[in-house]
Amino acid sequence: MRHNGADHQGVRSLDKDRAADLTKLCAWAKTAARYPKTATDMEAIIAGSDPLAHWLASSQPLLEELFRCWREAPQTTLEAHQVEYTRLFVARWGGVPAPLHASYYLNRETFRGDAADAAVAFYGRQGVRWSETELQEPPDHLAVELEFLEILCQSVSPAPGRGDVAEQWQDFWRSHFGLWTLPCAAAMEQHAKLPLYKVLALSLIQLWEQEMGHEGTRQGSLCHGL
Amino acid sequence: MTEISRREFIQWGGAGMAAAALSDWVFFKKTLWASPEEQEKLFYHACHICDCNCGMTYQLKNGRIVEMRGNPADTLGAAGKLCVKGYSTPRLYHDPCRLSHPLQRTNPRKGRDQDPAWKIISWDEAFSAIGEQFRRVYDHYGPEAILIFARPKPWDSHLWNAIGTPNQLCHVDTCYINHELVGKTVAGGRIWGWDFSHAKYIIGFGYDQPGKSKNIHQREFMAARRNGAKIVIFDPRLSETAMKADLWIPIRTGTDLAALLAMIHVIIAENLYDKEFVEKYTSGFDKLKTHVAKYTPQWAQKICDVPAQTLVEIARGFGSTRPATLAYHKRDAGGPTYMNSFQTAQAMLVLQALVGSLDRPGGLYYSRTPEMPAVKEVYNLNYPDIADKPRFDDPENITPLVFKTKKAGFSTAADAILKDSKPHVALFHSYNTTSFSNPRHLEEALTKLDFMVNVDMYLTELGMYADIILPENLWIENSGFTARSYQAERPQVMLDEGAPKLHNTKGYGEIANGILAAMKLYDFVVDPKKLAPAQMAAMGLDKDKLRQSGGVFDSGEPFKPKEKFKTPSHQIELYSTVLEKAGHAPMPEWVEPVAKPTPEYPYYIITHHLPWMRMLKNANDPILKDLQCENKAHIHTSVAKKLGVKDKDLVWVKSPVGKIKLMVAVTEGIRPDTIMTEHGFGIWAKGRCQGIGWGQNEGEILPDRTLAEMKSWKRHAAGRGVGICDTTVRITKA
């Protein structure tokens, strides 16, 4: 998947065909990056995982394991994912290894730092406004930013002269999203105990390599992001 | 039954569901036009990092605090400047380690080595779980089986009063209770103002508030310095305050009371006291005169290791200079530092009265906080009567006065929980195990409870024993007002304009009422938003008026010294009838400290707060932490030589309670028989990402107390102070 697309200052450009695939992928990742509050959330995560089948082959055995656990003991599986999400991203004895908001990585470990403002500015330029949800994810939360990518993908038009979305995509990746998601995903991959968050981490890494592979090595970006 | 595969689930059952669940926008709305760039806007608030409550202003832009300053309109407090802790507020606000959601434990096993396995729950789920447990205990064992560990703030008081439990436990017996109780019993009020800038002679006993960066104390103290006041500091170590004094007296640890009694003796014997003030405003002088006749400077010298002649000279200087004042507050020698500290606090107040500077210019004065209706009056509530209900930690009513003032209970909490079958559930509001000496004893007690709730801003050590954790707003996210109590020489009110909440947190008013509703105590469930406007209205204020006056209402009332005092005699009772009636010593008496050096534990131990730390409130601040990232064992040069250690070597400091490993700091500025270390370190609950693993919690080597001990000290420990530093230690090279 790498090095095979149009290149705008190192970030892969967005065309209509890719956008259609990425829309589904971002929608799934967004759901997986939210706290699984109910059984319906878990069902949505499992049911919506189809786009990963070919795009990330290594996810399949992990998703099979997730489904097996879910089928055998849905309530226990839900609670295990709630505990795992809290442990990885929210509050944990042992430190939170992979906070899911950009400011943590880009602004000296703050919450709602400059990176949150930067994200909001991107949203405004695209004509959308971030609004708080019950779970109160901040504007630079992974799930929020994935939904923004999803919106960008949905906005791609084949008509000539509508290249602003593709530019937004590249700008967002290059100056914001691409700077923090890899260290976040790497920490998630390292500390995740349950298959779902392994898959989420691997998806983010794959996505980063696909979109940002031209920008430099993973290691290089990790250092930059931190 | 045939089991379906994931593929089948996706194709048959899940596809529609997934499409429905995944296709919607969750976080965004379309806008027709771009939002204009938000302009910075100025807001007012009082700082709540410490009780100085300095007025502050802050600028918000895009929901973020971009600038913070001291409010110049707060002339009694900040006067335009904040301390280093106040300026750290934006970092607290944006701290990623703050609790963001209610949490529920899924691992029932509790202990330092147990991962609670938290999961996020909604507020409704949290209240429901708490309501179920608390109501069960309320119905089966009675309200007294519910323990509330909280300060006596309006919504805390509302919660325990509505539940009807007498068992509210507060940190004041590790903090200011002795000074508070002495003020109220001997002189009828809270003495929480310091007019050092007009004093000509100032003496402190372990007083180091300027060294703790208390804004008001620093300003007053340095003004006194500039104005040429003579300053004498008694302290086993050369504190930051002692460094600014004319005279540092390295008194033997725990014996300040002897020096005070000797000074009272000299001032009376040499007729140096303020006769007019004593005759007009005090009672019991003759009894005091007879009582202190035995406390000669020569007697004191043997105890406190200060030459008798030095004590005489200081007493003469203090007694013959007007105005002269003592400097005292919270955890000094009259705080709960030693088991004789209540007597020390009492002796301080007696001496203050003898030199005629109680509630007089150049002296200490009472807080003139504005009158306002309490929660009970605002909402017209009729709480159950708990005044005569026995406390689980004082069944024999050993210290009745302390529980009628600000409550207490930390000193004996662990012992009482472990020995009594009554407590079943507890709620802790903003307290940590590190707030307690001997925290392991408390942790053992906490595992005995059926259920525990922790309300805090961080995942703390105490939270590791909780079943439910409720995340509270950071104070700057709360709106309302603050009535000044420190340095309130006249009534003053500050506007609190809350910054946007960054997380799924609540103010404590909402939390307390949410719990009461979940307990089905509907008669006491009120709308907390109505309190501040009602109280402000009763003072003739509203938020617009406060905003128009720069965020501060200052009554401007001229200082009127008190002529009558709220005691039975309406005078300052040098012989306290209130204390006597309650079975405590009516006049300050010499009593030996509990701990004395032994061959096994040859050193005294004392503690200090660093100027940039307020307990553990700032422990997660990466910038402040870098100023000194761990506490040290400060030892005298001669001790270092004897041990064969130098700066930065590691040593074990061991007491009968426990042991901690510290880095050495060698100094000439401490008595050779005393070791000092700083409080506010030793975080082991890793929810605070910055402070984790740095230094050691000195509480691990400090004692707590048993109910039996408290009974044996009834005469002298009316404040039920824990005697934090009343232990001795040994030190060995690590």
Side-chain angles (χ1 to χ4, degrees), chain A residues 24 27-28 30-31 34-35 37 40 43-44 46-50 53 59-60 63-64 67 70-72 79 82-87 90-96 101 104 108-114 116-117 123-124 127-137 143-145 147-148 150-151 154, chain B residues 3-7 9-10 13-15 17-18 21-35 61-64 93-101 103-104 106 111-122 125 459 464 501-505 622-623 684-687 689-690:
Chain A
K24 291 177 194 161
W28 178 83
K30 168 188 82 178
T31 310
R34 298 199 79 200
Y35 184 68
K37 215 173 158 203
T40 310
E43 283 170 2
I46 295 168
S49 64
D50 201 31
S59 67
Q60 294 311 292
L63 289 169
E64 288 295 342
F67 181 70
W70 172 252
R71 191 179 55 200
E72 289 171 6
E79 184 165 276
Q82 291 174 330
V83 170
E84 175 82 332
Y85 188 98
T86 308
R87 183 185 75 84
V90 182
R92 177 207 176 209
W93 191 94
V96 181
H101 49 96
Y104 181 83
R108 289 172 54 109
E109 302 185 5
T110 59
F111 183 82
R112 291 282 287 269
D114 289 341
D117 273 4
Y123 307 152
V128 292
R129 185 164 51 84
W130 167 76
S131 59
E132 217 162 53
T133 62
E134 190 194 340
L135 287 168
Q136 294 194 266
E137 293 97 340
V144 180
E145 297 198 353
E147 182 167 283
F148 181 61
E150 183 191 348
I151 291 168
Q154 289 167 346
Chain B
E3 284 185 346
I4 64 167
S5 68
R6 186 170 74 92
R7 179 70 23 217
F9 178 80
I10 290 171
M17 183 188 347
L22 301 182
S23 64
D24 295 336
W25 288 9
V26 178
F27 303 105
F28 291 97
K29 289 181 178 146
K30 274 194 175 164
T31 55
L32 295 176
W33 50 83
S35 303
K61 189 179 179 186
N62 297 333
R64 296 174 52 215
Y93 182 61
H94 292 287
D95 186 346
C97 295
R98 276 172 57 196
L99 285 166
S100 54
H101 296 83
L103 300 174
Q104 184 173 40
T106 60
R112 287 194 180 194
D113 56 348
Q114 292 293 332
D115 181 348
W118 301 114
K119 68 171 185 178
I120 296 173
I121 53 173
S122 68
E125 289 167 327
L459 195 58
M464 307 316 290
K501 281 198 312 175
L502 292 187
H503 299 287
N504 186 18
T505 55
I623 294 175
W684 57 265
K686 297 176 185 174
C689 27
Q690 291 288 346

Side-chain angles (χ1 to χ4, degrees), chain A residues 202-222:
Chain A
L202 292 172
S203 302
L204 289 169
I205 292 166
Q206 171 97 337
L207 191 60
W208 188 93
E209 289 191 338
Q210 181 178 297
E211 301 303 316
M212 294 284 288
H214 302 266
E215 286 278 289
T217 63
R218 275 180 68 178
Q219 191 56 45
S221 176
L222 266 172

